[in-house]
Amino acid sequence: MGKLFYVMGKSASGKDTIYQELLRIPELRLTSMVLYTTRPRRAKETEGVEYHFVTEEELARLEKEGRVIELREYHTIQGIWKYFTVDDTDLDSRDYLAIGTLVSYEKLKNWYGKERVVPIYIQTEDSIRLERAIQRERKQEKPNYEEVCRRFLADSRDFSEENLEKAGISTRFDNNEELSACLEQTAGFIKGIITKNSIVQ
């Protein structure tokens, strides 16, 4: 029985980089569970890597097939963006790594079962996150700083201490200084669970 390790954190916490680096560690043998979105693809993003970028029509088809586990809508400056998870995994035979929000984590936990979904919460000081977010947005073809501010404030609500406690998130991984230290700690945590799980089986 496989595990689904679910990476989450506020915007610009470094979760995307941690997620990509964990996938590159051969001994973990993690399969990427790629989420879906209707938002426009950003510069340097690749279809099927960061997200599956789909149309509203494709989303409607997946919903009709009963394959959409959870769906979130965000009212942005550029319109409504939808992010969602599709049941396209084989948890009976492999371990997966996914990335998303606290709300999506809870829905996947309900879908697959609490014992199969493991939270990986990356936390970073707000001042560091804001600097990173601005630097990242500056590299876009058409920077949208209003959206950066909206996401920053929304994350404070979405990942409040109350919400984290409700979701049962107790283990956290700090990414305030060297990313390598956070990555090492996170990888060690995952490896320990995989090893224990294989012994039990």
Side-chain angles (χ1 to χ4, degrees):
M1 180 185 293
K3 297 285 187 183
L4 170 57
F5 296 95
Y6 204 80
V7 180
M8 60 195 132
K10 297 176 182 177
S11 58
S13 62
K15 64 183 183 297
D16 294 275
T17 303
I18 294 289
Y19 170 79
Q20 292 297 334
E21 290 299 322
L22 287 170
L23 287 173
R24 293 189 182 102
I25 300 176
E27 58 265 34
L28 295 181
R29 298 190 303 276
L30 295 169
T31 300
S32 173
M33 182 182 185
V34 183
L35 303 184
Y36 292 67
T37 184
T38 61
R39 77 155 167 77
R41 186 164 56 90
R42 293 175 183 154
K44 296 186 178 180
E45 285 185 327
T46 304
E47 160 60 29
V49 178
E50 289 83 8
Y51 292 97
H52 289 298
F53 297 94
V54 299
T55 63
E56 289 284 348
E57 290 73 23
E58 289 172 299
L59 167 58
R61 176 180 57 80
L62 290 166
E63 286 185 304
K64 188 176 181 180
E65 293 172 358
R67 296 173 60 198
V68 176
I69 299 173
E70 58 85 31
L71 184 149
R72 290 151 282 128
E73 290 187 4
Y74 297 95
H75 295 261
T76 75
I77 305 300
Q78 295 175 309
I80 298 175
W81 291 349
K82 296 177 182 178
Y83 293 81
F84 58 101
T85 308
V86 173
D87 186 3
D88 55 5
T89 62
D90 180 20
L91 271 175
D92 289 331
S93 61
R94 63 183 67 180
D95 296 305
Y96 283 84
L97 186 70
I99 186 170
T101 67
L102 187 60
V103 171
S104 61
Y105 158 71
E106 292 191 278
K107 291 189 176 179
L108 265 76
K109 184 174 62 173
N110 291 335
W111 184 280
Y112 290 114
K114 182 180 179 180
E115 71 285 352
R116 303 188 83 172
V117 184
V118 182
I120 306 290
Y121 182 67
I122 309 298
Q123 64 180 13
T124 305
E125 291 178 8
D126 283 348
S127 60
I128 298 173
R129 286 197 309 109
L130 188 54
E131 287 175 9
R132 287 177 184 170
I134 292 171
Q135 289 174 3
R136 182 175 66 188
E137 194 64 25
R138 192 175 288 133
K139 295 176 184 176
Q140 298 300 311
E141 186 177 338
K142 294 181 180 179
N144 186 342
Y145 298 108
E146 287 184 55
E147 178 60 18
V148 170
C149 293
R150 184 201 67 79
R151 288 186 66 189
F152 187 85
L153 294 173
D155 281 345
S156 295
R157 296 188 296 271
D158 294 345
F159 289 98
S160 67
E161 286 300 318
E162 181 183 1
N163 287 342
L164 289 171
E165 187 176 340
K166 278 183 184 177
I169 307 295
S170 55
T171 304
R172 305 180 189 193
F173 303 90
D174 291 323
N175 187 26
N176 292 316
E177 297 178 5
E178 291 296 323
L179 183 136
S180 58
C182 181
L183 178 62
E184 183 179 350
Q185 184 185 16
T186 307
F189 174 77
I190 292 174
K191 187 176 181 180
I193 291 177
I194 291 175
T195 302
K196 183 178 179 182
N197 192 43
S198 62
I199 292 172
V200 171
Q201 291 178 12

